[in-house]
Amino acid sequence: MSAPMGKNRKNRGRNEEPTVVKFQDVNIFIVERKIQRVRFEHLKKLARRKGFRVADSIELDEDITHIVAELDHREDVLEAISSKLKASKDGQAIAERRLESAEVVCMDWFTACMEEQKPVEVKDEHRLKAKPKVVAICPSSEQIRNSGYQDARFACQRRTPLKHHNKLLTDALESLEKHAEFLGGDQNQSRALAFRKASAALKALPKPVRSMRDVQNLYDLRGGKHCKKVIQELIEDGFSTEIDNIREDKWFQTMEVFTGVFGCGAATSRKWYDKDLRTLKDVLDAPDVSLTKEQRKGVEFYDDLNTPVNRIEAEVIRDLVVEETERILPGTTVVITGGFIRGKESGHDVDLLMSHPEDGKEESLLAKLLKNLHKRELLEYTDIQNSSFTKEVLSRPAQARRSHLDHYERCFSIFRLPKHLIEQKKHTKKQNGSSDAETSAVKDIDDDSPAPKQMKLEQTNVDNRGVGTSESRSWVARRVDLIIAPASQYAYALMGWTGSRMFNRSIRDYANKEMNMTLTSHGLYDKVNFKSLPADTEEDIFNHLKLEYREPVDRNC
Ligand code: CTP
Ligand code: MN
Ligand code: MN
């Protein structure tokens, strides 16, 4: 990502300052086509401020040295200029002459000049080329599979690692996504998804985006004017006023606090805000707000539950569960899935998927497990949902299942995680000589994780009521999802609970559109042959779908 080009934020919107021409030999003409009016004016001003001459008229300025365009080929530039000059008798001839006597370059050259604050040499990669004579053939899905195309249509076809090259851009797009989700309603949900898809596309790119040319062929950015505008601002200025405004907005910040309450979604948060409630204390004091049991816990343990869970804590929780399942049903597998299996060092919860090699054996496991954990006073809250799986679930089209929820027996819980066990685990890890990187996970908060909300909690004043802090307790509260899957569906459950959410959406969409199959966390149903396809491993699922296998660490879209 290019650094902000030395532009002071405060300068924005100020009247134009007097400019001094520093580079007499250079006269730039910017072709307006495909550039938004506001941005076009901004670019001209920017160049002038940096001491460049910028021609206003292609007709009258005869000494134009550089023609800059956001277009693909020289022919497009010629066409754009000629059509601008169509009133003039020999417009076409003038356009051709200008193209002959000037360098015709892409926006990369311009951006480089602005960055370096002087004209940079025109390299071959800057020059727009003539249209190729042969039309390029679109890669087949076979080619996409074989070469791991990072601009493939479906996110599941691309490798999306956790650490990528475009964090400034994807964070901005994800703020827009969140904002749209907070606003709610069908239209905003679609907008949110579009922002998410754009962000996912950028995460898969093998290098930082430096110009709009780097993103113009991405399937998920086609027609995404809003996304493109923000990306452009960030590339050129290093910041986007729109994004800054969203993040600083009181409503947005309050919505972030409210949706951070366990059991409280955007709709409830909006209701609270519309009742003039601004802090969690306001919510607790409001006579006309009745909280669900879940939300009461969410407020009470707000601080703990908004502190990212780290990997060591996740392992301690897994160990506690294994201790009990070994007693109840030896041979049960307990796997940490979700963000951790995708390589994240921290997350908002721990997702534990449990299964037994013998189908059916797992049936009474959850009830017994919870009973034992309760006895040991390790549970603060449980919300148990029985299995609602039936064979019909497998073939039901995705649209009919309104949410992405599956039908496994499960428990959304809050664990009381004893602090001494966390210390013990750190200690044994150190003794076993685990790498620094692993133990440092205790302190480090992963780049990709939500920032802890301590700051916001202060605004919420919950501390004043004596709740929300863990200092006086011997344990910390942590969100844990426990899921039970029979062996025959385990691979599908593993894939579903590994995520990411966007990966699931994409691979399900791919299955439907490209393979005429329905994929869920329970199975894969072939809609042509009316049969379910069994899978022992995640690789089997990828094979059924004729997709190149992606490791969980590459599913971070
Ligand atoms: N999931 C699901 N059904 C739910 C909740 C989650 O199938 N009721 C899936 C999601 O699609 C996701 C995975 O389980 O792929 C993990 O969900 P979640 O814990 O919400 O997200 P993480 O990716 O683990 O993020 P974090 O690290 O913040 O927990
Ligand atoms: Mn999770
Ligand atoms: Mn979860």
Coordinates of all heavy atoms in Angstrom, one line a residue, residues 23 152 187 212 222 485 509:
F23 N 8.1 21.8 -12.8 CA 8.6 20.9 -13.9 C 8.1 21.5 -15.3 O 7.0 21.0 -15.8 CB 8.1 19.5 -13.7 CG 8.3 19.1 -12.3 CD1 7.2 18.9 -11.4 CD2 9.6 18.9 -11.8 CE1 7.4 18.5 -10.1 CE2 9.8 18.5 -10.4 CZ 8.7 18.3 -9.6
A152 N -10.1 -16.1 -9.5 CA -11.2 -16.9 -9.9 C -12.5 -16.4 -9.4 O -12.5 -15.7 -8.4 CB -10.9 -18.3 -9.4
Q187 N -32.0 -4.8 1.5 CA -31.1 -4.1 0.5 C -29.7 -4.0 1.1 O -28.7 -4.2 0.5 CB -31.7 -2.8 0.1 CG -31.3 -2.4 -1.3 CD -31.8 -1.0 -1.6 OE1 -32.8 -0.5 -1.0 NE2 -31.1 -0.3 -2.5
M212 N -5.9 1.0 -9.9 CA -7.2 0.4 -10.2 C -7.1 -0.7 -11.2 O -7.9 -1.5 -11.3 CB -8.2 1.5 -10.7 CG -8.6 2.5 -9.6 SD -9.0 1.7 -8.0 CE -10.6 1.2 -8.3
R222 N -16.9 -6.2 -10.1 CA -17.6 -5.8 -11.3 C -18.8 -4.9 -10.9 O -19.5 -5.3 -10.0 CB -18.0 -6.9 -12.2 CG -19.2 -7.7 -11.6 CD -19.3 -9.0 -12.2 NE -20.6 -9.6 -11.8 CZ -20.8 -10.1 -10.5 NH1 -19.8 -10.1 -9.7 NH2 -21.9 -10.6 -10.2
A485 N -21.5 -34.1 16.2 CA -21.9 -34.6 14.8 C -21.7 -36.1 14.8 O -20.7 -36.6 15.3 CB -21.0 -33.9 13.8
D509 N -22.3 -21.9 -2.8 CA -22.8 -21.2 -4.1 C -22.2 -21.9 -5.3 O -22.9 -22.2 -6.3 CB -22.3 -19.7 -4.0 CG -23.0 -18.9 -5.0 OD1 -24.1 -19.2 -5.4 OD2 -22.4 -17.8 -5.4

